[in-house]
Amino acid sequence: MNQRPQPDTASTVPSLHRWNAVFWVLLGVVPPALAVADAPGTTRFPVLGLLAVLALSYGAVGLFPGNPALRPRPYLYVLVVGLGAMSYLLDGSAALFVVTLPHFWIYTASARAAIALSGLAAAGVVAGNVVRQGWDGEFFTGNVIFTLIGYAAGVLIGLGVRHITEDADERARRLSAELEEARLRLIEAHHRQGAADERERLAREIHDTLAQGFASIIVLAEAARSGLATDPGRSGNHLLAIENTARENLAEARVLVGSAPQSGVAAGSVADTLRRTLRRFTEDTGTRVTSELPDVTCDQQTRIALLRCTQESLANIRKHAAASTVEVVLTAQPYGIELEITDDGAGFVAEDSHGFGLHGMRKRLAELGGELTVTSSVGDGTRVLAMIPTDGQG
């Protein structure tokens, strides 16, 4: 069975290790160096040289952690030998051993290796002290006892810290996995939302263009069929209107499948575009239409939105209102462009209306920062007011 890799503690909490290096130098290296300042050269020079070797080895491992020639394990072996030699030279080095204990836990991958290497270092310190005093001397000196107590405490503290660190790393891994899963779910949700928005957009475009055109074709075809025997000329006009509407629907269909320029609306001023739409409505239904359509300046998106609102309103008038008169007013206001469409038809209860057409108009205007207001009551006709903000151009 594969063993779970242990965390690299040295890279997990670098700030703590920097502080450990400072304490190791101040409490581990400096005191013995000061202690041999007045000692004979036979003791002073070996101690200072050994401390320099230990400090340089520690610095090389700490400053170049990725260098394969400066692996932590050889440094720990140097540390074991150095601590034993220091104990022999100074007749005990328990304080340096205790201060150095964190190195065995920092630079090992497992608790077992840290316990074994620090135990080997403790044995070296004890052995160096015993050899210095001679085999007939007292074994349990203060240096030996302090070393053994320090080793035992170091094992307990090291195991506790390692356990806490492993738990923190495990929680971090779980959190990272949860964040990645949440990110993937968010991407999927955005994808689904994008697909839903695109379906809604296509449905709105089909409703505002193709569906309205087909409804017009049906009405014109019925009128042409009923007048074939009594008024062939008028039926011919209806057939021509059917042909024109079918061509427009074909152009809109090409736009929807991406084979024609976006929008499917011929270039021109918004007033001209609305006049053509109103003229077609009058030809198809015979309803009298009055209009005030001054030339106003707006971008293509605003022009398309105003046209779609007009088409949807006229379609609702044709299907439901049975109106005799329709009035359309286009106004450029300081805050935007307003389009008002009123009819004297049957009316309806606006609060109870939740049709796709009104929802589509509101959604289209909202995308441009505008709003739609519908006022109606049964028997009193309907007023539709569309407002789209602009930059103040009119």
Side-chain angles (χ1 to χ4, degrees):
M1 183 175 64
N2 294 332
Q3 185 177 8
R4 187 182 68 180
Q6 298 297 327
D8 184 3
T9 314
S11 61
T12 304
V13 282
S15 61
L16 292 180
H17 299 151
R18 284 194 294 269
W19 280 108
N20 175 72
V22 172
F23 286 128
W24 183 74
V25 172
L26 294 179
L27 303 180
V29 176
V30 173
L34 295 176
V36 298
D38 298 329
T42 55
T43 301
R44 183 172 69 253
F45 294 129
V47 169
L48 294 178
L50 188 56
L51 289 174
V53 170
L54 295 179
L56 290 174
S57 301
Y58 179 45
V61 172
L63 293 176
F64 307 100
N67 194 322
L70 301 173
R71 297 180 182 276
R73 186 58 68 92
Y75 161 68
L76 296 179
Y77 292 143
V78 171
L79 202 57
V80 169
V81 175
L83 289 173
M86 190 68 67
S87 179
Y88 174 78
L89 292 172
L90 296 177
D91 194 15
S93 59
L96 177 60
F97 167 74
V98 171
V99 176
T100 308
L101 276 175
H103 295 198
F104 295 100
W105 293 90
I106 291 173
Y107 293 111
T108 53
S110 66
R112 180 179 300 177
I115 293 172
L117 286 173
S118 60
L120 190 60
V125 172
V126 172
N129 184 241
V130 170
V131 171
R132 179 74 177 195
Q133 291 192 7
W135 297 105
D136 55 349
E138 184 181 357
F139 180 79
F140 287 104
T141 63
N143 183 74
V144 170
I145 294 175
F146 190 52
T147 299
L148 296 177
I149 293 176
Y151 170 69
V155 170
L156 294 177
I157 295 174
L159 289 175
V161 172
R162 183 66 64 109
H163 177 71
I164 293 173
T165 303
E166 290 178 356
D167 284 348
D169 289 342
E170 181 63 27
R171 286 195 298 270
R173 283 192 291 269
R174 286 200 302 267
L175 180 60
S176 178
E178 292 172 359
L179 289 175
E180 179 64 17
E181 183 180 358
R183 186 183 70 85
L184 295 176
R185 286 200 303 267
L186 184 60
I187 292 175
E188 184 180 356
H190 283 170
H191 177 74
R192 288 198 302 267
Q193 184 61 43
D197 291 343
E198 182 63 14
R199 285 195 298 269
E200 182 179 355
R201 186 191 69 81
L202 288 175
R204 188 171 65 236
E205 293 294 336
I206 290 173
H207 178 273
D208 292 347
T209 57
L210 300 182
Q212 305 296 354
F214 287 135
S216 177
I217 288 174
I218 292 173
V219 172
L220 291 171
E222 291 175 347
R225 186 177 65 250
S226 63
L228 282 176
T230 59
D231 193 351
R234 183 173 179 80
S235 295
N237 292 334
H238 288 325
L239 292 175
L240 180 60
I242 289 174
E243 179 183 350
N244 292 333
T245 303
R247 291 183 186 277
E248 292 173 0
N249 267 23
L250 178 60
E252 293 287 356
R254 286 173 175 167
V255 170
L256 291 176
V257 299
S259 61
Q262 187 61 32
S263 85
V265 179
S269 71
V270 63
D272 290 340
T273 302
L274 296 183
R275 288 190 191 99
R276 287 194 297 268
T277 302
L278 297 178
R279 184 167 57 251
R280 175 66 59 80
F281 175 76
T282 299
E283 293 172 354
D284 293 348
T285 64
T287 304
R288 187 169 68 90
V289 177
T290 61
S291 62
E292 295 180 17
L293 301 174
D295 287 331
V296 297
T297 302
C298 62
D299 57 25
Q300 179 75 345
Q301 287 185 318
T302 300
R303 192 164 68 91
I304 293 171
L306 294 173
L307 172 62
R308 298 307 185 211
C309 289
T310 302
Q311 290 173 329
E312 176 62 26
S313 298
L314 295 178
N316 289 336
I317 292 171
R318 173 188 294 176
K319 289 185 292 186
H320 308 296
S324 60
T325 302
V326 176
E327 183 179 5
V328 180
V329 179
L330 181 67
T331 308
Q333 302 287 1
Y335 50 82
I337 297 177
E338 288 187 349
L339 175 67
E340 183 180 25
I341 303 173
T342 58
D343 68 78
D344 60 354
F348 62 97
V349 179
E351 292 76 11
D352 297 338
S353 178
H354 304 286
F356 184 83
L358 290 177
H359 173 74
M361 283 195 287
R362 289 192 174 94
K363 187 70 177 292
R364 187 186 294 277
L365 293 176
E367 291 173 355
L368 299 177
E371 59 181 357
L372 181 75
T373 303
V374 179
T375 306
S376 182
S377 60
V378 177
D380 291 333
T382 301
R383 174 180 176 268
V384 175
L385 178 63
M387 191 285 294
I388 301 178
T390 62
D391 295 333
Q393 296 177 338

